[in-house]
Amino acid sequence: MGSRQSAILERALMISLSTGCQPVRIPQQKIYNNMGKRKRTDGGGATALFKTKAGVIAATLGSAVGLGSIWRFPAEAQQNGGGAFLLIYLGCVLILGIPVMLAETSLGRAGRADAVGSYMKLAPGSRWWLAGGLGVLASYLIISFYMVVAGWTLQYLWDSITGALFAGADGESARLIEQTFHHKMESYIGSDIAPLISTYAMIVLNIGVLMMGVQKGIERASNIMMPLLFVLLLLFCIYALTLPGASEGLVYFFRPDFSRITWGVAANALGQTFFSLSLGIGVLITYASYYPSDTNLTRTATTVSGLTTLVAVMMGMIIFPTVFSFNLDIDQLRGTTLVFVTLPEVFSQMPGGRVWSILFFTLLLVAALTSTISLSEVSILFVQKRFKRSRLSATLIMMCPLFLLSALCSLSFGSLADLKIFGLTIFNFLDTFATNWILPICALCVVIFVGWFIPKGTFRREVTNDGRVATRLYPVVNFIVRWIAPVLILVILFSSILK
Ligand code: PHE
């Protein structure tokens, strides 16, 4: 049997498994046509495309810019030597981030299907589809805990609007103010009901956007939210840079302390690159399947990587000058405290602080929302295509279980705090397992597949749009994807194992 025929049989088998019928031979083309007929336009998945160039960039950038660049980056920079971390991160984005993004978007656009389907289409009859399946799993696990943190930002936004966030935090000593915010955060996160409500609200918001489909939901929401995000960031940047003593913070952020560069720091910067650019777990395969065929993939990858890095750098230029100017403890920037204690503390001392607080949590919410949308889309398109569901039912099938899974993550700070998996709470277990393990493994699969196993010429064809786009970078990118990226990803994996 030829490879094309075996692919057709395999596809028919998949469909029979999902519908419980006997396998029948259905010509591949016919299956696609039928999928197209279910919903020809937006909701269909099979034929949905982003409408404009700006939409392609906004949606992909929306996925990349999230809690990772806005919150995790400054905290990581602080813990890993300030400027030294920034330098390594920039190197990682340039050397690894852009090529891997190109590899993944090429895979997605050539496959024109969900993460699993793209592998099936490009490597029929092989087991490569398992790599796509792992991506679907990883993205799903990541949404389950990401949604909880996104929910917290929603609550903090609400509390900034009502003023509840600042109640009891004025006129006391700095130490007491900090304790007040600490206590607020701990009692909020550690409670059961309040964070659950905001997590659920986030899930509902996601469903609202996602069920509208690719153009009317994802693209339109990103087109509105991404410019808003940049305007807000710019406002904060201008404010932070004009604070007295801002330069001290800038020096801290930009001056590299090379003595602090270690393998651990480099591995952290690599991990941050993957997480912040949404690499490796099928989000880019899924989104690229919606890219029109004239989208210039190289330009998209460089623009998205560049702007994501810009957001991270701007955040550094906001956080460090502010912390120095307000004489706050720089070691406090770790983890949750940066966003939920340190910044509210700053806002409480700023003139017009409540307005700034509203703006900041809006910024964080927008960033988190566009990222959760992209993470959810991976499994929604998977269900839509593999199980031939309508947009609405695929959205509900995949989003509703989150009401339970995310609830478990949320409760793991409260009533379920003592429930441990390998010594970690549910939230931390999913975070560690998905981000440190499955994500690098999926990314490894992407680069090995695109570098070595994708049908010959496919990668070049996608990067050059069938020869219509001249790119001198292709040989370099191809070399990185084949040789350098796999080795560096293995480094991240081993460093996670050693940790
Ligand atoms: N890039 C997102 C962030 O920085 C997180 C993310 C990871 C989104 C992987 C999609 C896929 O917050």
Side-chain angles (χ1 to χ4, degrees), residues 9 154 180 194 210 238 261 270 441 456 476 490-491:
L9 190 62
L154 189 64
T180 311
L210 284 160
I238 294 169
I261 296 184
L270 263 174
I441 292 175
K456 215 168 170 346
V476 181
L490 279 173
V491 169

PDB file of all heavy atoms in Angstrom, residues 9 154 180 194 210 238 261 270 441 456 476 490-491:
ATOM      1  N   LEU A   9      -6.328   5.575   4.872  1.00  0.00           N
ATOM      2  CA  LEU A   9      -6.915   4.551   5.727  1.00  0.00           C
ATOM      3  C   LEU A   9      -6.820   4.974   7.196  1.00  0.00           C
ATOM      4  O   LEU A   9      -7.768   4.833   7.969  1.00  0.00           O
ATOM      5  CB  LEU A   9      -6.183   3.219   5.501  1.00  0.00           C
ATOM      6  CG  LEU A   9      -6.868   2.032   6.151  1.00  0.00           C
ATOM      7  CD1 LEU A   9      -8.258   1.858   5.545  1.00  0.00           C
ATOM      8  CD2 LEU A   9      -6.058   0.764   5.932  1.00  0.00           C
ATOM      9  N   LEU A 154      -8.084  39.390  37.473  1.00  0.00           N
ATOM     10  CA  LEU A 154      -9.435  39.927  37.316  1.00  0.00           C
ATOM     11  C   LEU A 154      -9.940  40.472  38.657  1.00  0.00           C
ATOM     12  O   LEU A 154     -10.501  41.561  38.748  1.00  0.00           O
ATOM     13  CB  LEU A 154     -10.350  38.812  36.801  1.00  0.00           C
ATOM     14  CG  LEU A 154     -11.738  39.203  36.368  1.00  0.00           C
ATOM     15  CD1 LEU A 154     -11.672  40.136  35.176  1.00  0.00           C
ATOM     16  CD2 LEU A 154     -12.548  37.954  35.967  1.00  0.00           C
ATOM     17  N   THR A 180       0.157  44.659  55.018  1.00  0.00           N
ATOM     18  CA  THR A 180      -1.272  44.674  54.702  1.00  0.00           C
ATOM     19  C   THR A 180      -1.519  43.978  53.358  1.00  0.00           C
ATOM     20  O   THR A 180      -2.405  43.138  53.239  1.00  0.00           O
ATOM     21  CB  THR A 180      -1.782  46.132  54.605  1.00  0.00           C
ATOM     22  OG1 THR A 180      -1.345  46.827  55.749  1.00  0.00           O
ATOM     23  CG2 THR A 180      -3.287  46.196  54.495  1.00  0.00           C
ATOM     24  N   ALA A 194     -13.651  32.909  46.661  1.00  0.00           N
ATOM     25  CA  ALA A 194     -13.394  34.120  45.857  1.00  0.00           C
ATOM     26  C   ALA A 194     -12.504  33.850  44.634  1.00  0.00           C
ATOM     27  O   ALA A 194     -12.873  34.228  43.512  1.00  0.00           O
ATOM     28  CB  ALA A 194     -12.812  35.210  46.743  1.00  0.00           C
ATOM     29  N   LEU A 210     -13.964  32.519  22.270  1.00  0.00           N
ATOM     30  CA  LEU A 210     -13.611  31.353  21.442  1.00  0.00           C
ATOM     31  C   LEU A 210     -14.771  30.815  20.626  1.00  0.00           C
ATOM     32  O   LEU A 210     -14.588  30.349  19.503  1.00  0.00           O
ATOM     33  CB  LEU A 210     -13.038  30.255  22.341  1.00  0.00           C
ATOM     34  CG  LEU A 210     -11.601  30.554  22.786  1.00  0.00           C
ATOM     35  CD1 LEU A 210     -11.237  29.745  24.017  1.00  0.00           C
ATOM     36  CD2 LEU A 210     -10.619  30.264  21.664  1.00  0.00           C
ATOM     37  N   ILE A 238       6.628  55.677  30.562  1.00  0.00           N
ATOM     38  CA  ILE A 238       6.893  57.111  30.700  1.00  0.00           C
ATOM     39  C   ILE A 238       6.854  57.506  32.174  1.00  0.00           C
ATOM     40  O   ILE A 238       7.735  58.188  32.682  1.00  0.00           O
ATOM     41  CB  ILE A 238       5.851  57.938  29.891  1.00  0.00           C
ATOM     42  CG1 ILE A 238       6.038  57.652  28.401  1.00  0.00           C
ATOM     43  CG2 ILE A 238       5.981  59.425  30.191  1.00  0.00           C
ATOM     44  CD1 ILE A 238       4.925  58.194  27.520  1.00  0.00           C
ATOM     45  N   ILE A 261      26.442  34.730  35.768  1.00  0.00           N
ATOM     46  CA  ILE A 261      26.021  33.830  34.689  1.00  0.00           C
ATOM     47  C   ILE A 261      26.484  32.400  34.995  1.00  0.00           C
ATOM     48  O   ILE A 261      27.663  32.142  35.177  1.00  0.00           O
ATOM     49  CB  ILE A 261      26.601  34.274  33.332  1.00  0.00           C
ATOM     50  CG1 ILE A 261      26.026  35.643  32.949  1.00  0.00           C
ATOM     51  CG2 ILE A 261      26.280  33.253  32.246  1.00  0.00           C
ATOM     52  CD1 ILE A 261      26.447  36.146  31.605  1.00  0.00           C
ATOM     53  N   LEU A 270      16.599  30.180  28.689  1.00  0.00           N
ATOM     54  CA  LEU A 270      16.065  29.365  27.588  1.00  0.00           C
ATOM     55  C   LEU A 270      14.612  28.984  27.846  1.00  0.00           C
ATOM     56  O   LEU A 270      13.752  29.076  26.967  1.00  0.00           O
ATOM     57  CB  LEU A 270      16.871  28.072  27.464  1.00  0.00           C
ATOM     58  CG  LEU A 270      17.977  28.054  26.425  1.00  0.00           C
ATOM     59  CD1 LEU A 270      18.756  26.758  26.531  1.00  0.00           C
ATOM     60  CD2 LEU A 270      17.376  28.147  25.032  1.00  0.00           C
ATOM     61  N   ILE A 441       9.827  18.773  25.686  1.00  0.00           N
ATOM     62  CA  ILE A 441       9.771  17.544  24.880  1.00  0.00           C
ATOM     63  C   ILE A 441       9.024  17.813  23.569  1.00  0.00           C
ATOM     64  O   ILE A 441       9.456  17.398  22.486  1.00  0.00           O
ATOM     65  CB  ILE A 441       9.090  16.387  25.662  1.00  0.00           C
ATOM     66  CG1 ILE A 441       9.977  15.961  26.829  1.00  0.00           C
ATOM     67  CG2 ILE A 441       8.827  15.183  24.747  1.00  0.00           C
ATOM     68  CD1 ILE A 441       9.388  14.916  27.748  1.00  0.00           C
ATOM     69  N   LYS A 456      10.554  16.489   2.144  1.00  0.00           N
ATOM     70  CA  LYS A 456      11.652  17.317   1.630  1.00  0.00           C
ATOM     71  C   LYS A 456      11.117  18.586   0.951  1.00  0.00           C
ATOM     72  O   LYS A 456      10.167  18.533   0.184  1.00  0.00           O
ATOM     73  CB  LYS A 456      12.438  16.500   0.604  1.00  0.00           C
ATOM     74  CG  LYS A 456      13.908  16.801   0.618  1.00  0.00           C
ATOM     75  CD  LYS A 456      14.641  15.744  -0.202  1.00  0.00           C
ATOM     76  CE  LYS A 456      16.092  16.055  -0.480  1.00  0.00           C
ATOM     77  NZ  LYS A 456      16.642  17.290  -0.293  1.00  0.00           N
ATOM     78  N   VAL A 476      20.619  29.326   7.346  1.00  0.00           N
ATOM     79  CA  VAL A 476      21.016  29.487   8.753  1.00  0.00           C
ATOM     80  C   VAL A 476      19.931  28.912   9.659  1.00  0.00           C
ATOM     81  O   VAL A 476      20.193  28.147  10.592  1.00  0.00           O
ATOM     82  CB  VAL A 476      21.204  30.993   9.086  1.00  0.00           C
ATOM     83  CG1 VAL A 476      21.636  31.176  10.524  1.00  0.00           C
ATOM     84  CG2 VAL A 476      22.179  31.631   8.128  1.00  0.00           C
ATOM     85  N   LEU A 490      17.618  20.025  24.716  1.00  0.00           N
ATOM     86  CA  LEU A 490      18.014  18.949  25.632  1.00  0.00           C
ATOM     87  C   LEU A 490      18.676  19.516  26.887  1.00  0.00           C
ATOM     88  O   LEU A 490      18.494  18.984  27.987  1.00  0.00           O
ATOM     89  CB  LEU A 490      18.969  17.982  24.919  1.00  0.00           C
ATOM     90  CG  LEU A 490      18.250  16.960  24.030  1.00  0.00           C
ATOM     91  CD1 LEU A 490      19.250  16.150  23.219  1.00  0.00           C
ATOM     92  CD2 LEU A 490      17.387  16.016  24.866  1.00  0.00           C
ATOM     93  N   VAL A 491      19.412  20.610  26.711  1.00  0.00           N
ATOM     94  CA  VAL A 491      20.026  21.257  27.880  1.00  0.00           C
ATOM     95  C   VAL A 491      18.954  21.711  28.871  1.00  0.00           C
ATOM     96  O   VAL A 491      19.057  21.483  30.076  1.00  0.00           O
ATOM     97  CB  VAL A 491      20.904  22.460  27.454  1.00  0.00           C
ATOM     98  CG1 VAL A 491      21.328  23.289  28.665  1.00  0.00           C
ATOM     99  CG2 VAL A 491      22.117  21.984  26.688  1.00  0.00           C
TER     100      VAL A 491
END
